[in-house]
Amino acid sequence: MRRLRTQAGLTQEQMAERSGVSVRTIRRLETGKAADHRLGTVNLLADALDLGAEDRRQLAAVLAPAHPSPIPLQGKVNGDSSGPFEPELESEPEPESEVDRVLAGAAAELAREVGRRWQKEEEQRRVHDPFPLPVRWNRAPARLTDHAENIQRLPPGVRPEPMEPAGDLRSVAEAYRGIPSGRLVILGRAGSGKSIMAIRLVLDLLGGSGPDRSRRVPVIFGVGAWDATAVALRDWLVDLLLRDYPHLARRTPGGSTLAAALVDAGLILPVLDGFDEIAEGLRQEALEALNATSLPLVLTSRAGEYAEAVSAARAPLVWAAGIELAGLTPDDLSAYLSRTTRPAAQGGRAPGGDGGEGGEALWDIVLEVLRSGNDPAGGRLAEVLSTPLMIALARTMYSEAPGRDPAELLDAGRFPTASSLEDHLLAGFVPTVYRPRVAERAATGDPDRDRRQDRRRNWDPDRARHWLGHLAHHLVRLDRDRHDLAWWQIGESLPRSTRVLTVALVSALCVTVSDWAVVLLVAPITPGEALVQGAVVGPVGGLAFGCFYAAMAAFGGGSFAPSQVRLRLRGRTDGIGRRPVRTFTDRFAAVVPGGFVMGIGCACAFALQRALYEGRSLTDPALVEALLINMLVLGLIFSSAAGLVFGLLAALETPLDVGSAATPAGLLSANRATVYRQVLVIVPVLTLAIALGGGLVVRLLAGVLGPLSWKLPEGLVIGAVGGLGGGLSYALCFTAWGQWLIFSRLLLPLTGKLPWSPEDFLDDAYRRGVLRRSGAVYQFRHVRLQHHLGHTYRRRQGNYTPATFPMPPR
């Protein structure tokens, strides 16, 4: 088969496109990993290669020896359906391999999780309350889409079928199923409902009754953070799948992660939301990288930014159809806004009757002006309220907030332009959703607990806006205009010098307390000497950890992603290997430098202690020589022990279950539990590794460095101090949960940048509709809102520079 394909001048990918057989199947056939394939597959391949009768017979004899010689298909592949198709294509099922079964199960599990998450997100957005806005679409301009023949994957000379000219939210999945290439671009202006359309498309594809041609699982990816010049699309998709669906970190029988295997097998349909949010200088490279693949995908973008990228790349997204979202009309507003205010919310204002009459009582003046079309103020308001984003803001500010009259939106003096109206709606959104509310009584009936919960939920609107503004500004500082608000990265909003100093202080405290606890309990020295020793060892150890952290931060580190695994002290039960040798080697190499720095710090502390108690000068040659020897010996002892312990811990880690990290809070809880278990293992094991490994290192170096002493009781004391102090320092300063604790739960609230319970605040902001969840991270519900809050925060802080922080895009 490889010979026939080569003679035809086709690559495996080209042959897959012409035949409809997957690249993976073709590769298995050519390498001899698949035998006795079904007859329909052989016929598809023969047609794609345009084989004669003899070549067909030989191909069938090799690939399908248990079947009679194949009959040539009537008609051609690649879209020509002029003749009847081979009826045996689905009548002879191909035996599934173990890898196929594993991937099928993983895809089904992923589909259930994706559907559950985005169904909840749609409910959170209240898309169906009172009914979905009539978001309509038309075909995108021809210059922004590929030729119809390319979209339908037709051979030369075949006339393309006409495509749907228009549709709405309910028909987008049906329209997508009719695109043979599987590529679609959804365009629209800011706030026009592109993300809502993407969510509805995913849910309809997962739960619709239409034909499933590819078995691909649609997954939404926020594409704004993708740098196509640094990370390949495939690797970026795998990384995000591992972040948002940690159960995909399990290994397949072939050795790769489930995430990588699903992507490589073509079982993922990427829905890339927010192409316009990619940095302006990277959009051309991103579009060119997408055009270099044949992967079916859906892309959403603002029309202007996408058009600029198309012009720069001199090509649209190849093989992609395009739709463009249309604005909402005054009639749409009249039908929708009149039903967003229930009669009970009108107080005495509603004249009575059903919900429509109550809504009209609040919005009647505004809707009358909008319908007339003669008032310039009404024209500006109709322009602003033509997008679902602004309608949602107006609904929140007026339909759901008592005492506010939407007629003020028609005040030409206050709002002379459409931009001023948008700014008013954006500025009033946060104070409106954070208006005080009374919490329901808990089932426990504990009044004190209810009051505490009520105080946590009733955040002051001005302070909530300040905190949200800091988070929005933090996203800009991270990467110009990032949109993923990850709880493990919030600490990076602190200056680097502050973080380094904090790590040094926390590590010093951990080592000092550990030394006092161990020495006072087991060492035969006086309490005074023990206190002095701890006071010396702690700061030196803290300085060592601080220097190590500073070096990491200087090279772009200093922030630790949460582990995608949990620690299992007993045997593994998932039956899927994790390549323990490679995992051990990677972890060993990562930990050794830190252990060596800790050993050097301990050597310096011991030298300083001897100088203080023996009255010797720090420049004493004998003391200096002993210091240098101890730095080498203790560095080797601590680094080898730490590398061994943390490497073995990696072998005890197993991937998280799908439900363990379905939300940011779930990942935080899982990572906290992992860190607790790590400390429980690290402290005793590291103690023994230092004590026993120290004796081995001393014996090996004694012949080179001269007489060395390492008695087991003294080694156990040093090991206990190193194990307890090192374990606590690692947990608090070098894990995602530890940095969340000392930076986000302590320092940022102390400086007023966040509340004292940031996890409650973030979860409450999600429930109020300010934030949304995207897997393990939060995102601002709307990019326009993020830009507005960040800009307002910088202006209030007095550090706004137009060249550095651009105005929010209109």
Side-chain angles (χ1 to χ4, degrees):
M1 180 171 159
R2 184 186 297 111
R3 175 181 58 82
L4 293 172
R5 177 178 59 79
T6 303
Q7 290 176 352
L10 298 176
T11 65
Q12 290 181 343
E13 289 76 12
Q14 291 171 332
M15 186 171 175
E17 294 168 12
R18 294 181 62 175
S19 66
V21 179
S22 70
V23 175
R24 182 167 59 91
T25 299
I26 294 174
R27 186 177 298 117
R28 290 171 57 205
L29 289 169
E30 292 192 358
T31 55
K33 294 182 179 179
D36 198 14
H37 239 63
R38 60 191 182 190
L39 186 60
T41 300
V42 178
N43 284 329
L44 285 174
L45 296 171
D47 282 355
L49 294 170
D50 197 18
L51 299 180
E54 180 61 23
D55 286 334
R56 285 177 179 270
R57 186 191 63 76
Q58 293 182 6
L59 188 65
V62 173
L63 298 183
H67 300 280
S69 298
I71 301 174
L73 291 176
Q74 301 179 20
K76 298 180 180 180
V77 294
N78 295 336
D80 186 353
S81 57
S82 58
F85 200 69
E86 173 68 41
E88 293 183 336
L89 277 177
E90 300 300 332
S91 63
E92 301 177 26
E94 177 186 351
E96 286 189 331
S97 65
E98 183 182 358
V99 174
D100 292 332
R101 288 192 294 271
V102 170
L103 290 184
E109 186 178 19
L110 177 62
R112 288 191 295 269
E113 178 63 15
V114 169
R116 185 190 67 81
R117 290 189 185 184
W118 290 109
Q119 180 68 42
K120 188 173 182 179
E121 178 64 26
E122 202 176 52
E123 294 172 356
Q124 190 70 22
R125 289 179 178 232
R126 298 190 298 178
V127 171
H128 301 281
D129 180 19
F131 60 88
L133 279 166
V135 180
R136 305 179 188 87
W137 53 266
N138 303 308
R139 276 193 301 215
R143 62 187 177 87
L144 300 181
T145 64
D146 204 345
H147 299 293
E149 294 85 352
N150 295 338
I151 296 172
Q152 298 183 27
R153 311 298 295 129
L154 298 176
V158 180
R159 181 173 298 177
E161 296 290 334
M163 300 183 66
E164 289 293 333
D168 57 19
L169 192 66
R170 296 168 297 180
S171 63
V172 63
E174 182 181 356
Y176 176 78
R177 290 190 181 101
I179 301 174
S181 67
R183 288 191 157 200
L184 174 66
V185 177
I186 302 175
L187 303 176
R189 60 192 180 109
S192 59
K194 300 182 295 296
S195 296
I196 294 176
M197 183 77 74
I199 294 173
R200 179 39 43 192
L201 173 63
V202 166
L203 293 177
D204 286 347
L205 290 178
L206 287 173
S209 58
D212 183 7
R213 297 179 289 105
S214 63
R215 299 182 298 125
R216 295 184 176 91
V217 180
V219 182
I220 295 179
F221 300 89
V223 75
W226 178 38
D227 182 357
T229 64
V231 184
L233 176 64
R234 179 261 186 196
D235 296 336
W236 180 77
L237 293 175
V238 170
D239 290 343
L240 262 66
L241 285 173
L242 290 173
R243 184 197 72 182
D244 294 340
Y245 305 93
H247 72 288
L248 297 180
R250 297 198 302 267
R251 298 283 177 175
T252 67
S256 65
T257 63
L258 286 174
L262 288 172
V263 172
D264 293 338
L267 295 178
I268 301 296
L269 172 64
V271 180
L272 307 178
D273 188 24
F275 177 83
D276 54 281
E277 297 167 8
I278 297 176
E280 183 176 358
L282 298 175
R283 290 181 197 141
Q284 176 185 346
E285 288 78 3
L287 183 57
E288 291 174 348
L290 294 176
N291 285 342
T293 73
S294 60
L295 180 68
L297 58 89
V298 178
L299 184 72
T300 75
S301 176
R302 296 184 191 174
E305 285 79 351
Y306 180 72
E308 292 175 359
V310 169
S311 177
R314 297 187 177 183
L317 182 64
V318 297
W319 304 339
I323 62 176
E324 186 169 15
L325 304 187
L328 299 169
T329 67
D331 290 339
D332 297 331
L333 300 179
S334 178
Y336 185 80
L337 291 175
S338 63
R339 289 173 58 179
T340 58
T341 304
R342 272 63 176 186
Q346 296 296 315
R349 185 174 178 177
D354 61 14
E357 295 177 354
E360 289 283 350
L362 180 66
W363 288 95
D364 53 358
I365 297 177
V366 173
L367 295 177
E368 182 179 354
V369 172
L370 292 177
R371 291 192 198 102
S372 69
N374 299 324
D375 192 323
R380 288 191 294 271
L381 183 58
E383 177 186 353
V384 171
L385 295 183
S386 63
T387 64
L389 167 59
M390 290 301 163
I391 293 177
L393 297 179
R395 166 186 178 165
T396 302
M397 288 183 61
Y398 295 103
S399 294
E400 301 172 7
R404 302 203 65 169
D405 188 352
E408 68 181 9
L409 297 173
L410 301 172
D411 188 344
R414 290 182 60 188
F415 311 115
T417 63
S419 296
S420 61
L421 273 171
E422 291 182 354
D423 290 338
H424 167 70
L425 293 174
L426 288 167
F429 176 69
V430 171
T432 300
V433 298
Y434 277 96
R435 62 184 183 272
R437 61 183 180 182
V438 178
E440 296 181 359
R441 183 175 299 171
T444 59
D446 185 350
D448 294 334
R449 181 180 178 183
D450 293 343
R451 282 193 293 271
R452 288 193 300 270
Q453 292 180 349
D454 192 48
R455 284 196 298 269
R456 284 200 301 268
R457 292 170 181 165
N458 285 329
W459 314 97
D460 179 76
D462 289 336
R463 301 190 71 182
R465 182 168 53 186
H466 174 76
W467 296 328
L468 290 169
H470 172 76
L471 294 174
H473 172 62
H474 154 70
L475 293 176
V476 176
R477 291 182 58 186
L478 273 178
D479 188 11
R480 299 299 302 166
D481 200 9
R482 187 177 293 184
H483 304 286
D484 289 344
L485 182 60
W487 56 262
W488 59 90
Q489 293 177 333
I490 293 178
E492 291 185 53
S493 61
L494 290 166
R496 183 190 302 173
S497 58
T498 302
R499 288 183 280 135
V500 171
L501 179 61
T502 302
V503 167
L505 292 176
V506 171
S507 300
L509 181 62
C510 291
V511 176
T512 297
V513 173
S514 301
D515 187 272
W516 285 344
V518 172
V519 172
L520 288 175
L521 289 176
V522 300
I525 59 176
T526 63
E529 186 178 357
L531 293 176
V532 171
Q533 177 178 315
V536 172
V537 171
V540 174
L543 180 62
F545 277 111
C547 292
F548 181 66
Y549 181 85
M552 293 181 60
F555 289 97
S559 178
F560 300 90
S563 173
Q564 300 293 338
V565 295
R566 55 194 170 95
L567 190 63
R568 187 188 295 268
L569 299 182
R570 296 183 179 180
R572 186 181 287 111
T573 60
D574 55 16
I576 300 177
R578 283 177 43 83
R579 300 194 205 181
V581 174
R582 179 177 177 181
T583 303
F584 174 87
T585 303
D586 292 343
R587 188 69 61 89
F588 184 91
V591 171
V592 162
F596 198 85
V597 170
M598 181 61 188
I600 292 176
C602 288
C604 294
F606 294 151
L608 183 60
Q609 179 185 359
R610 289 182 60 186
L612 291 176
Y613 267 87
E614 298 177 8
R616 301 171 62 180
S617 172
L618 291 175
T619 59
D620 186 349
L623 186 62
V624 172
E625 181 183 2
L627 171 62
L628 295 176
I629 292 176
N630 285 339
M631 289 172 64
L632 175 61
V633 174
L634 291 178
L636 292 175
I637 291 174
F638 276 79
S639 61
S640 59
L644 177 64
V645 171
F646 284 96
L648 290 177
L649 278 178
L652 299 175
E653 294 173 340
T654 57
L656 289 167
D657 297 327
V658 63
S660 300
T663 64
L667 184 57
L668 175 62
S669 176
N671 190 239
R672 178 174 57 244
T674 297
V675 173
Y676 286 168
R677 295 187 181 100
Q678 284 178 333
V679 172
L680 291 177
V681 174
I682 287 172
V683 173
V685 177
L686 187 57
T687 298
L688 293 176
I690 293 173
L692 301 179
L696 178 61
V697 171
V698 166
R699 281 194 290 271
L700 291 175
L701 296 179
V704 178
L705 302 178
L708 299 174
S709 174
W710 185 270
K711 298 179 180 179
L712 183 59
E714 296 175 353
L716 288 173
V717 172
I718 296 176
V721 173
L724 185 58
L728 294 178
S729 298
Y730 164 80
L732 294 176
C733 302
F734 297 91
T735 64
W737 172 78
Q739 292 200 342
W740 161 264
L741 185 65
I742 63 175
F743 294 152
S744 302
R745 291 294 307 271
L746 180 62
L747 282 187
L748 286 172
L750 278 175
T751 57
K753 303 295 179 58
L754 285 181
W756 284 105
S757 182
E759 67 271 28
D760 288 341
F761 176 71
L762 292 173
D763 183 67
D764 185 65
Y766 162 72
R767 299 182 185 280
R768 293 177 188 266
V770 181
L771 301 176
R772 74 172 186 175
R773 290 174 182 163
S774 179
V777 300
Y778 289 103
Q779 295 173 342
F780 279 90
R781 180 74 67 184
H782 305 287
V783 176
R784 286 290 311 277
L785 179 63
Q786 175 184 329
H787 290 164
H788 174 81
L789 290 171
H791 172 69
T792 303
Y793 175 84
R794 291 187 289 273
R795 187 173 57 194
R796 290 187 175 187
Q797 296 298 309
N799 57 357
Y800 169 68
T801 302
T804 305
F805 302 110
M807 287 286 290
R810 297 297 179 191

